Amino acid sequence: MHQIYTFLFWKKLYSIEKLTPDLLITLGLREKNGKYTNAGALFAGENDYRGIDLVKFGDNINVMLDRAQIEKVSVLKLCQDALQKYRQYYQNEVIDGAYRRKNEQIPENAFREAIANAIVHRTWDVNAQIKVAMFDDRIEVTSPGGLPKGLSKEEYLAGQLSILRNPIIANIFFRLGLIEQFSTGIQRILAAYADSKTQPQFSIFENSIKIVLPVVKMELQGVSEDANEVYSILQSAPLSSSHISQETSFSKNKVLNLLEELIQKGYVVKIGNGRGTKYHRSK
């Protein structure tokens, strides 16, 4: 059996350099006779399990711009590689003066939870891949296997009941910080979209579960649609009106008027004066 994937050597899991046989048994990754469990095989650097089929589409499903089939590797590498693809297409860094700001079209926390949820709760004895379809306006994550027996759709969405199909995988993911708490993934996805006009969608079928993560669109009460667009750009760092103008294609005068509208409503604060003036969300 191949070595357990390098991620498990991280001191984030245990403050040791190597996993001992006894520790692997305790984690449920190895049996006393020395053989690896099914969960142990899933964490191995190489295995025989289907992984993720990830496709970035163009204008429609007939246009495939990029495709990555990540198979027969550790479930931890599945997470890592899927996140790299997500960051390639839905994240960028914006530099405005001394500030560096990460711009996320789709919240990384939501995507991470959707992938972890698919891996932790999928049916691994089915010869099928997790499907990740990336579009300009959304990501669709479809995992094989419906809900565990005894868990209703309402309970699944509310996170009220914890029935783990793969408890060993869930335990390792929890220890590594890939999931926060058992059965809170859906709630964390929804929380990532708390201020968004667009909301995640969950489709539950007999043999699969699909999570749709749309591009975030902010919707503030009592302001114009253009002001909402300006607000959506203001995230983790103050920005100048010139930079906002570049990102929105609005004229600088229009941006200043929209910022004033947001300031009057209490959504944005003004920082500094003159050419060094910047704007930031008030909350």
Side-chain angles (χ1 to χ4, degrees):
M1 170 63 68
H2 297 283
Q3 292 293 320
I4 299 296
Y5 190 58
T6 305
F7 277 160
L8 287 182
F9 296 160
W10 283 359
K11 292 184 179 180
K12 190 175 184 180
L13 179 57
Y14 284 100
S15 57
I16 55 176
E17 294 294 336
K18 189 175 181 180
L19 292 173
T20 65
D22 286 345
L23 190 52
L24 292 176
I25 293 172
T26 300
L27 292 172
L29 302 175
R30 186 172 177 173
E31 298 175 355
K32 290 184 179 180
N33 61 11
K35 293 183 179 180
Y36 283 84
T37 63
N38 290 335
L42 284 165
F43 280 99
E46 297 179 20
N47 55 52
D48 294 324
Y49 289 96
R50 306 296 300 275
I52 293 177
D53 183 13
L54 190 152
V55 180
K56 176 64 172 71
F57 291 98
D59 294 335
N60 55 67
I61 58 174
N62 296 317
V63 181
M64 289 194 297
L65 302 178
D66 187 11
R67 185 172 191 175
Q69 291 187 305
I70 314 162
E71 293 193 295
K72 300 182 179 181
V73 297
S74 169
V75 289
L76 295 169
K77 184 166 174 55
L78 294 181
C79 284
Q80 180 192 39
D81 289 358
L83 276 170
Q84 286 179 343
K85 283 295 182 183
Y86 153 82
R87 290 166 181 158
Q88 178 181 345
Y89 292 111
Y90 299 96
Q91 274 188 8
N92 58 71
E93 283 195 343
V94 177
I95 300 175
D96 188 35
Y99 295 97
R100 182 184 297 270
R101 176 173 62 89
K102 181 171 68 175
N103 181 43
E104 297 179 348
Q105 292 179 285
I106 292 174
E108 180 173 319
N109 284 345
F111 180 75
R112 185 191 300 271
E113 289 287 348
I115 291 296
N117 187 78
I119 291 172
V120 169
H121 297 295
R122 68 154 289 174
T123 304
W124 282 101
D125 57 1
V126 173
N127 187 28
Q129 298 165 308
I130 296 168
K131 302 289 186 181
V132 179
M134 294 181 165
F135 301 88
D136 288 344
D137 64 344
R138 69 192 187 280
I139 299 176
E140 299 178 358
V141 179
T142 304
S143 58
L147 294 177
K149 187 177 181 180
L151 183 64
S152 70
K153 177 180 178 180
E154 291 73 23
E155 289 167 330
Y156 169 77
L157 294 177
Q160 294 178 345
L161 187 63
S162 178
I163 298 179
L164 297 175
R165 176 174 279 132
N166 303 296
I168 297 174
I169 299 175
N171 178 47
I172 299 296
F173 272 45
F174 173 70
R175 290 174 180 272
L176 288 173
L178 295 174
I179 57 176
E180 288 290 327
Q181 297 177 16
F182 300 149
S183 300
T184 61
I186 301 302
Q187 296 304 305
R188 288 174 60 77
I189 290 172
L190 293 172
Y193 282 85
D195 297 323
S196 177
K197 180 179 179 180
T198 54
Q199 289 292 306
Q201 301 295 319
F202 306 91
S203 300
I204 300 173
F205 306 100
E206 182 178 356
N207 297 309
S208 65
I209 296 174
K210 180 167 73 173
I211 298 176
V212 179
L213 305 175
V215 168
V216 168
K217 292 184 179 179
M218 306 308 297
E219 184 175 38
L220 303 177
Q221 300 300 317
V223 299
S224 65
E225 184 176 345
D226 288 345
N228 269 285
E229 184 174 347
V230 168
Y231 183 81
S232 68
I233 292 171
L234 296 171
Q235 294 189 18
S236 59
L239 296 177
S240 66
S241 58
S242 297
H243 194 104
I244 297 170
S245 177
Q246 292 174 3
E247 289 205 29
T248 59
S249 297
F250 297 152
S251 69
K252 188 171 180 180
N253 284 338
K254 181 174 181 177
V255 167
L256 290 171
N257 289 333
L258 293 172
L259 286 167
E260 184 60 31
E261 179 182 350
L262 290 166
I263 291 170
Q264 292 298 322
K265 293 290 184 179
Y267 292 121
V268 169
V269 293
K270 182 178 178 180
I271 304 170
N273 294 293
R275 300 187 64 170
T277 302
K278 293 183 183 294
Y279 301 85
H280 195 266
R281 291 185 184 183
S282 61
K283 55 183 177 179

